[in-house]
Amino acid sequence: MIPTAMLSQAPFRLTRDMNACEAGIAIAQCIEYFCSLATPLVEAFSVAMEIAEVPTNDPLYKAGIALAHDIDAGIGAGVGNAYHNKIHFLEVLLCASAIASVAEMSSHEKALLYVAAVAHDFHHDGQPNMRPYRLELSAVQNMQSYLDNASVAEGDRQALAAFVLATETHTGVAYARECYSKHYRNVAVISFQSIASELALLELHPRLALIAVALTEADIIPSTALTVQHAQATASRLEKEWGRTMDSQSKIEFIDNFAGDLQVAAYFMPNVKMIRQAFLDR
């Protein structure tokens, strides 16, 4: 049984008037709690979908819970990876839940976001992208059987593919942000030469661009925007996976590059600034 108090605060219940620092602490504690469970991803996904009022017979619910079950069992879970493993999947899912709350997403939008959060690094091999979108395309391919078995609608499948591909750090994230800026900040989209074709949906549909950016920001919030302690812990995991140590300047550059201008998750910017300052003071 999930503690009732946990269900009434971040990441599951969050509004813009709540203190971002307190929310970051609550989310970090929530991550720690779910990590202590036998099936953390199944439990977290179930709670997030229930609070989003997504019924258990919804195809997205069925696909996501099947994915979560297999990841908890070690399938496609990055077993052996120090960073891209089921703990990271859990972190991204819970941060996505928080962002969805402050962005006031619909139930269906939340369902799409949560399935994408669970699937975005599915079957990650712990190695960097040797070619553009290698890891993201692998995740998309490996989630197809789950979408098939749950009879997920074609439009939702296309959206999920676009969201996962948007997490590619070389051009995917930048393109998603550009599309979001076009729709919500009236900024022209910069021409990208080498984006995955599936991402074109984001330039056409404002809400899909918003969800894609929410996912990319949920992907980096655990290491940049919760608490100093959690940022240090995630950095240590990433260093272990990469096989190299990041000095304080490298960590600051990472924050500036990926979290210096959060858009959908702008609520968390006070925490980004706090963590950046902590690394600067080291």
Side-chain angles (χ1 to χ4, degrees):
M1 179 69 70
I2 311 301
T4 302
M6 186 171 289
L7 299 179
S8 63
Q9 60 186 13
F12 302 116
R13 308 286 185 185
L14 188 60
T15 57
R16 293 182 184 276
D17 61 339
M18 294 180 180
N19 181 276
C21 182
E22 292 176 1
I25 293 169
I27 295 169
Q29 291 173 339
C30 193
I31 291 167
E32 184 177 359
Y33 170 78
F34 278 100
C35 281
S36 71
L37 304 180
T39 54
L41 208 53
V42 165
E43 297 292 344
F45 184 82
S46 299
V47 171
M49 293 291 263
E50 180 180 354
I51 291 175
E53 299 182 344
V54 179
T56 57
N57 63 351
D58 186 292
L60 289 169
Y61 189 108
K62 291 192 287 186
I65 202 71
L67 275 162
H69 180 274
D70 279 0
I71 292 169
D72 278 338
I75 298 170
V79 176
N81 297 346
Y83 181 82
H84 290 99
N85 53 36
K86 67 179 182 180
I87 295 174
H88 175 64
F89 298 176
L90 173 68
E91 291 174 326
V92 175
L93 172 61
L94 293 176
C95 289
S97 178
I99 295 171
S101 293
V102 294
E104 299 180 346
M105 292 184 187
S106 69
S107 292
H108 186 69
E109 289 171 339
K110 289 177 181 178
L112 285 168
L113 175 60
Y114 300 163
V115 174
V118 170
H120 81 287
D121 278 329
F122 196 39
H123 285 273
H124 197 294
D125 60 12
Q127 300 299 313
N129 265 340
M130 277 77 80
R131 61 182 184 277
Y133 300 97
R134 179 184 71 87
L135 292 166
E136 294 75 23
L137 286 169
S138 173
V140 170
Q141 180 179 359
N142 280 296
M143 74 177 180
Q144 292 308 309
S145 62
Y146 298 85
L147 305 183
D148 289 341
N149 292 339
S151 299
V152 173
E154 181 60 27
D156 288 345
R157 295 168 75 111
Q158 292 176 5
L160 289 168
F163 301 154
V164 172
L165 291 167
T167 64
E168 194 267 350
T169 57
H170 296 291
T171 56
V173 171
Y175 181 74
R177 288 178 175 177
E178 292 290 341
C179 292
Y180 177 87
S181 293
K182 171 193 172 183
H183 297 307
Y184 294 97
R185 297 181 176 179
N186 199 29
V187 176
V189 175
I190 297 172
S191 176
F192 284 80
Q193 299 298 319
S194 58
I195 64 161
S197 60
E198 294 88 342
L199 288 169
L201 281 175
L202 307 184
E203 192 169 351
L204 299 174
H205 302 284
R207 295 302 293 182
L208 297 187
L210 183 147
I211 299 168
V213 171
L215 178 63
T216 68
E217 294 179 346
D219 199 13
I220 51 92
I221 279 179
S223 54
T224 63
L226 295 182
T227 68
V228 173
Q229 182 180 10
H230 199 82
Q232 291 171 334
T234 54
S236 296
R237 287 162 42 206
L238 195 55
E239 288 173 334
K240 186 176 180 180
E241 183 167 299
W242 284 350
R244 63 180 176 85
T245 301
M246 292 189 293
D247 59 19
S248 293
Q249 184 58 38
S250 296
K251 293 173 183 175
I252 291 168
E253 289 174 0
F254 179 87
I255 291 172
D256 290 345
N257 288 338
F258 292 103
D261 181 27
L262 294 178
Q263 298 179 3
V264 183
Y267 167 88
F268 287 97
M269 283 306 301
N271 296 355
V272 174
K273 294 176 182 178
M274 173 187 66
I275 291 167
R276 188 186 189 281
Q277 187 62 48
F279 284 136
L280 193 63
D281 292 341
R282 290 175 66 85

